[in-house]
Amino acid sequence: MLPELDVGDWLYYEDMGAYTLSMATIFNGLDATAIKYHCLEELCGDETSTIVILIEMNVLLTFLSKRAFTEQILKQYFGKLDTVNTMKKRLTDRCVVDLHPERRSTHEIIQNVVSEKQRKGDDDRFVVCDVGDIIQKFQHWVTLMPRIKLFYAVKCNTDEALLQVLSDMGASFDCASKKEIEAVLNLGVSPTRIVYAHPCKPVSSLNFAKSRDVSLMTFDNVNELQKVKETYPSARLLLRLLPEKEFNARLEFSGRYGCSSTEVRYILQTAKDLELNIFGVSFHVGSDIQDPRAYVSILQQSRSVFDIARRMGFNMNILDIGGGFPGEQNTFERFKEITEVINKTLLDLFLPEDNVEIIAEPGRYIAASAFTVVASIMSKRCYQSSADGDVNGQDSAQLKRNVATYFLNDSVFGNFMYGRLYMPGSVIHIPKVVKVRVLFS
Ligand SMILES: Cc1ncc(COP(=O)(O)O)c(C=O)c1O
């Protein structure tokens, strides 16, 4: 339950990093929300605690604390280790980051920002981003699924600092459009670290991908193959599969993209006739999958497509397991359970000696918990509820209650668009409160 609030109080909504900022519109003249970045200093390293790694294309990547990772895992994941540098510098060059030597709660950070804004007479909404949370998510991924290379799904949250940090840590990227590819390449990321993961692409974007050597891409139908033949015949193609069995996900995709098992042979034969290169398979189980068995089922499907394609002579060596992992606070146990199921299933179906590179496209997992939306109460309307009728012997006069409607300076056309588009009627989160009176008393 919320306490009674006043105009000028602030509410904050946690776990707002996934599909929020990137979906916000400019309806009603809304501005882009200012983002306050903060990070526990030791997480983004210093000269002595940072490992910098050099991977293909001479791209320098800064990395994290030696305490958290062994060099062995880093080598396995990225390649050769090289000179020392800091992620901190690159990050702070890009945006203002409040680096704190000791852990600070989101509440405390927000209280500080709010009191600063109050002093300036500024009541604009803002977003707080905990960069350290992103870093730790990446660390957990590498530790729990060292065999699966992380291609962050850019559509989930396109924040520049988020992309920079991921790039510095050696992540790769799932881009769904020309603009997303441009944004990632502008960070200095090698095109070999991008999968163009939209199965249906405009010809102009295919031409663009070709001009930038972004060759790995997904597709799910023969018309797409014709386009690729005409624009980018050397592209490395991943056939996106439609999951045969449905498992409950917060956001279902199964009907929209992916070819069914009955279409596989025909599509592969068309690719063969067109002399195109199918390198592997991709799928996406839907966002925030609730049941880890979803991965078992589609991995079995993938295995049989690998076998069919290899028998047809394709050099199948990439398996893209898409996204779907939970990323909100308190979902770590569920995430861990999913990783255990995936690791075990991969060991059964794709033996390491099979030399299949396994990649994934998590979005929500990386972004959700790092961002908190903070809005202020710009107006309040008080009235008596108009409950009618006689309930349990009480007359309507007794049922009338004092009610307050609060008006925030954010909206479903701003950072709350995701809830409106995909989960009509659902409540996003119970917000937490920063009372201005308490701050200034
Ligand atoms: C092809 C593809 N991959 C990955 C993702 C990221 O999904 P999630 O945020 O659930 O990890 C999406 C989300 O829409 C997607 O469409």
Side-chain angles (χ1 to χ4, degrees):
M1 255 317 239
L2 285 175
E4 180 161 359
L5 301 167
D6 296 303
V7 171
D9 286 340
W10 295 76
L11 295 180
Y12 63 93
Y13 297 77
E14 297 174 294
D15 288 324
M16 290 289 284
Y19 308 102
T20 50
L21 279 77
S22 57
M23 278 193 181
T25 74
I26 55 169
F27 176 69
N28 255 355
L30 285 171
D31 274 336
T33 322
I35 304 185
K36 308 281 180 191
Y37 299 96
H38 72 99
C39 187
L40 179 62
E41 195 162 5
E42 68 174 45
L43 283 173
C44 60
D46 54 33
E47 291 289 326
T48 53
S49 69
T50 306
I51 302 168
V52 177
I53 49 177
L54 183 72
I55 57 167
E56 69 267 278
M57 313 292 289
N58 285 343
V59 179
L60 268 182
L61 298 171
T62 48
F63 210 78
L64 310 170
S65 153
K66 281 175 185 159
R67 273 161 295 176
F69 284 96
T70 63
E71 290 194 3
Q72 198 192 352
I73 287 182
L74 285 171
K75 274 187 184 155
Q76 181 186 330
Y77 203 70
F78 300 109
K80 202 165 126 233
L81 294 175
D82 203 54
T83 50
V84 171
N85 202 334
T86 66
M87 180 159 73
K88 187 159 74 181
K89 166 132 184 34
R90 238 191 279 224
L91 178 62
T92 47
D93 279 353
R94 190 164 286 276
C95 54
V96 179
V97 185
D98 175 13
L99 292 168
H100 36 92
E102 271 153 30
R103 233 167 245 291
R104 287 164 67 193
S105 70
T106 304
H107 191 85
E108 196 185 338
I109 304 266
I110 292 171
Q111 270 187 329
N112 289 344
V113 177
V114 163
S115 50
E116 183 62 32
K117 283 170 93 70
Q118 257 348 105
R119 267 192 289 279
K120 293 182 185 160
D122 170 5
D123 60 2
D124 283 347
R125 68 201 169 135
F126 62 98
V127 164
V128 169
C129 169
D130 181 354
V131 178
D133 190 79
I134 299 165
I135 293 170
Q136 283 179 317
K137 285 282 189 61
F138 188 80
Q139 288 179 327
H140 288 147
W141 181 283
V142 177
T143 310
L144 292 172
M145 293 194 286
R147 203 177 156 197
I148 306 177
K149 225 171 183 175
L150 187 152
F151 281 62
Y152 169 69
V154 175
K155 65 169 80 70
C156 177
N157 185 327
T158 52
D159 178 62
E160 261 192 282
L162 164 74
L163 298 181
Q164 179 69 62
V165 158
L166 289 173
S167 156
D168 282 351
M169 290 191 293
S172 298
F173 295 89
D174 149 9
C175 299
S177 65
K178 180 180 165 198
K179 279 263 183 235
E180 288 185 4
I181 294 174
E182 261 174 341
V184 170
L185 290 175
N186 286 343
L187 297 170
V189 169
S190 154
T192 57
R193 287 165 62 199
I194 294 176
V195 56
Y196 188 176
H198 199 305
C200 306
K201 295 174 267 302
V203 170
S204 55
S205 299
L206 275 170
N207 280 323
F208 174 77
K210 185 180 180 206
S211 72
R212 300 302 185 90
D213 292 324
V214 176
S215 62
L216 187 62
M217 57 186 71
T218 64
F219 80 104
D220 67 0
N221 64 76
V222 291
N223 288 315
E224 213 56 23
L225 286 178
Q226 295 289 352
K227 267 194 277 174
V228 172
K229 176 71 184 173
E230 279 154 35
T231 55
Y232 197 175
S234 60
R236 295 178 302 143
L237 299 168
L238 304 177
L239 177 57
R240 177 151 166 187
L241 306 182
L242 180 72
E244 262 164 9
K245 289 192 194 149
E246 289 217 354
F247 292 86
N248 191 16
R250 186 149 25 147
L251 181 50
E252 309 275 0
F253 280 99
S254 39
R256 207 181 308 164
Y257 297 118
C259 73
S260 65
S261 297
T262 52
E263 296 171 287
V264 165
R265 280 172 205 278
Y266 168 61
I267 293 176
L268 290 175
Q269 190 54 53
T270 308
K272 192 100 240 168
D273 296 344
L274 293 171
E275 296 176 329
L276 294 172
N277 310 308
I278 311 273
F279 269 73
V281 155
S282 84
F283 59 79
H284 180 49
V285 291
S287 203
D288 201 0
I289 196 77
Q290 305 294 312
D291 184 342
R293 286 176 305 169
Y295 290 97
V296 179
S297 167
I298 186 74
L299 282 170
Q300 286 163 343
Q301 231 177 293
S302 304
R303 178 72 252 179
S304 66
V305 175
F306 259 71
D307 294 340
I308 295 169
R310 279 187 175 160
R311 279 199 294 275
M312 291 173 78
F314 288 106
N315 177 21
M316 300 288 281
N317 55 28
I318 299 178
L319 171 66
D320 175 356
I321 69 166
F325 306 88
E328 282 78 9
Q329 294 173 33
N330 307 320
T331 56
F332 184 65
E333 284 310 313
R334 187 151 63 90
F335 172 67
K336 237 173 99 187
E337 191 194 337
I338 292 174
T339 66
E340 281 158 14
V341 170
I342 291 176
N343 286 338
K344 183 178 173 314
T345 312
L346 286 175
L347 264 186
D348 290 344
L349 298 175
F350 292 87
L351 300 174
E353 51 271 29
D354 207 6
N355 285 329
V356 174
E357 183 184 354
I358 302 166
I359 69 176
E361 304 165 349
R364 173 187 306 282
Y365 166 73
I366 289 288
S369 56
F371 292 78
T372 302
V373 169
V374 193
S376 75
I377 296 178
M378 58 180 184
S379 193
K380 173 180 177 181
R381 189 158 54 88
C382 300
Y383 53 97
Q384 282 223 310
S385 73
S386 53
D388 289 327
D390 181 289
V391 181
N392 292 337
Q394 295 176 291
D395 67 23
S396 57
Q398 283 172 297
L399 283 174
K400 283 190 176 174
R401 290 180 299 131
N402 290 327
V403 174
T405 302
Y406 300 111
F407 296 85
L408 296 179
N409 58 358
D410 206 338
S411 80
V412 291
F413 297 104
N415 292 309
F416 296 98
M417 176 64 108
Y418 179 71
R420 179 177 176 83
L421 273 184
Y422 292 115
M423 293 176 285
S426 68
V427 176
I428 296 201
H429 280 297
I430 307 283
K432 295 184 177 151
V433 180
V434 174
K435 293 283 290 179
V436 170
R437 270 195 315 248
V438 174
L439 276 179
F440 290 95
S441 57

